[in-house]
Amino acid sequence: SSDLFVRRLAARLEKTQFHVWLDEHDLIAGDPLPESIGKALQAARVILVVVSKASVASKWLRYELNIATERMIKGECRVIPIVIDDTPLPTEVRGLLYADCRKGLASGIPSILTALKYEARRAAMESSFSSRIDKLIEEIFEGHGWCSPNLYRGRDWEVITMPIPDLDGDEREAFYDAIPDYGLSWRGKADRK
């Protein structure tokens, strides 16, 4: 069955030191199902979609695929379809290369592991780049921290500070807010203190 395949796949990946989120392992009675699944999908670097007659018939698949493909289009995650029977791929993932496990897990696991290792390397590189950028910001600007102004309804913002001379020639501290995703540009100057 597809449930048995998913359990075997999760166990195999965990043996290779990958962290796997599986609803039956990570949820307890009383958890809000849509919210919990949604959070897990938003946090995942790679989303494995096991395609079978049973999974395609599941009411949750469409919900999960909507979140997964939206994040994939934004470049936030990799989606890997895994085929375990002759059920056609859902339209959302039809254009993606899939791992073929119709003859068993052993036949498809090499391609799954290759993709996971690639994403792990990419995550490590991005993390290293982000830490270097943080250090550079600390060196260039006088301060770097977080604030939760009421103006933004309690939402946290990352800020940097820099001295700016006023009309009298005195230096005043100016705060600039920054988007933590370094692929984006600075948001701009905030009000002076």
Side-chain angles (χ1 to χ4, degrees), residues 89-121:
L89 287 171
T91 54
E92 292 88 343
V93 293
R94 201 163 285 166
L96 301 177
L97 288 174
Y98 60 86
D100 191 346
C101 291
R102 286 175 292 184
K103 292 180 180 176
L105 179 57
S107 63
I109 198 71
S111 59
I112 297 168
L113 289 174
T114 297
L116 291 176
K117 287 172 185 173
Y118 171 81
E119 287 300 326
R121 284 194 303 271

Side-chain angles (χ1 to χ4, degrees), residues 126-143:
E126 286 175 8
S127 173
S128 173
F129 175 75
S130 297
S131 64
R132 290 200 307 269
I133 290 291
D134 283 336
K135 191 176 282 186
L136 195 57
I137 287 172
E138 292 288 352
E139 289 173 8
I140 294 172
F141 299 100
E142 291 209 338

Side-chain angles (χ1 to χ4, degrees), residues 2-170:
S2 59
D3 287 344
L4 179 60
F5 176 87
V6 168
R7 290 186 200 109
R8 287 179 56 230
L9 174 61
R12 177 69 179 81
L13 296 178
E14 284 171 346
K15 275 185 185 176
T16 323
Q17 305 302 310
F18 287 107
H19 173 70
V20 179
W21 188 92
L22 190 59
D23 56 2
E24 64 184 46
H25 292 168
D26 297 277
L27 295 178
I28 59 172
D31 281 346
L33 201 52
E35 182 184 342
S36 299
I37 291 173
K39 281 182 179 177
L41 290 169
Q42 290 291 348
R45 181 114 194 159
V46 178
I47 298 170
L48 305 176
V49 181
V50 177
V51 179
S52 68
K53 185 178 179 182
S55 70
V56 168
S58 165
K59 65 179 181 178
W60 290 106
L61 184 67
R62 193 67 52 202
Y63 169 77
E64 293 162 354
L65 281 176
N66 284 340
I67 296 173
T69 52
E70 183 180 337
R71 290 193 62 226
M72 178 188 69
I73 289 165
K74 292 177 182 176
E76 297 173 351
C77 72
R78 176 181 292 266
V79 176
I80 305 173
I82 301 172
V83 175
I84 65 173
D85 62 25
D86 291 326
T87 303
L89 287 171
T91 54
E92 292 88 343
V93 293
R94 201 163 285 166
L96 301 177
L97 288 174
Y98 60 86
D100 191 346
C101 291
R102 286 175 292 184
K103 292 180 180 176
L105 179 57
S107 63
I109 198 71
S111 59
I112 297 168
L113 289 174
T114 297
L116 291 176
K117 287 172 185 173
Y118 171 81
E119 287 300 326
R121 284 194 303 271
R122 199 157 73 97
M125 285 177 62
E126 286 175 8
S127 173
S128 173
F129 175 75
S130 297
S131 64
R132 290 200 307 269
I133 290 291
D134 283 336
K135 191 176 282 186
L136 195 57
I137 287 172
E138 292 288 352
E139 289 173 8
I140 294 172
F141 299 100
E142 291 209 338
H144 185 219
W146 296 87
C147 68
S148 296
N150 291 332
L151 176 65
Y152 296 113
R153 300 177 190 168
R155 181 176 176 183
D156 286 343
W157 293 90
E158 187 174 3
V159 295
I160 57 172
T161 58
M162 188 169 63
I164 300 290
D166 64 12
L167 294 174
D168 299 322
D170 298 319

